[in-house]
Amino acid sequence: MNIAVFASGRGSNFSAIAEAVKKGKIKARLSLLVSDNPSAPVIAKALRAQVKAVIIAREDYSNRADFENEIIRLLKKEKIGLVVLAGFMRVLSPDFVGNFKNKIINIHPALLPAFKGAHAIRDAFFYGAKVTGVTVHFVDEKMDHGPIILQQALVIKASDTLKSLEEKIHKIEHLLYPEAINIFVKGKLGIKGRRVRISSRKALS
Ligand code: GAR
């Protein structure tokens, strides 16, 4: 199966996924990085990992449909079977999602449905939450909303700072996302309404 990662920024999840593919922990081909941000550090990471990187910036298109159609065209050309959003800070239209129904997944640095949005770690920390975590879910037409594939909880300790919490969350992400991708690639999950059933879950070793 061919995988495309979409990312807008730093790309630490991209690197974790690329590493898992390289080590054979995910049995798929990482064919493509798509970024909407020409200055995103993830682009250099893709080039270093010898993954084709394509920049498709929203500003270069007069409307969202043209922008998304360009991405869809590219995904079809590369025969992509799974789209992995990893810090892609853009909401995809219902049309786009419909084109890749149940083939787009996202990672979110909180336990959804809590703390949706772009600043989930910070929001959970300053809210005073005692527990937060990471969610991997299918993407539907609403933001941070589709059926949940995996979640991992994390206790926020009194001694945690925002920085230490961010580090712990990212560490979890870098293990949980490759695991979820591997489950998808192996066809070990089924969706019934909002419920995702995983028939076999083995941690990546
Ligand atoms: C990750 O923490 C991811 O969960 C978050 O963006 C970060 C990207 O980091 N995504 C969201 O907040 C989506 N709502 P990275 O560029 O280092 O992978």
Side-chain angles (χ1 to χ4, degrees), residues 81-120:
L82 174 65
V83 174
V84 174
L85 307 187
F88 186 66
M89 294 310 186
R90 211 166 263 288
V91 177
L92 297 166
S93 72
D95 259 11
F96 189 103
V97 174
N99 257 282
F100 293 91
K101 194 169 162 42
N102 296 336
K103 287 186 178 148
I104 311 174
I105 62 175
N106 181 44
I107 191 159
H108 185 72
L111 293 178
L112 289 174
F115 304 111
K116 294 178 178 178
H119 308 288

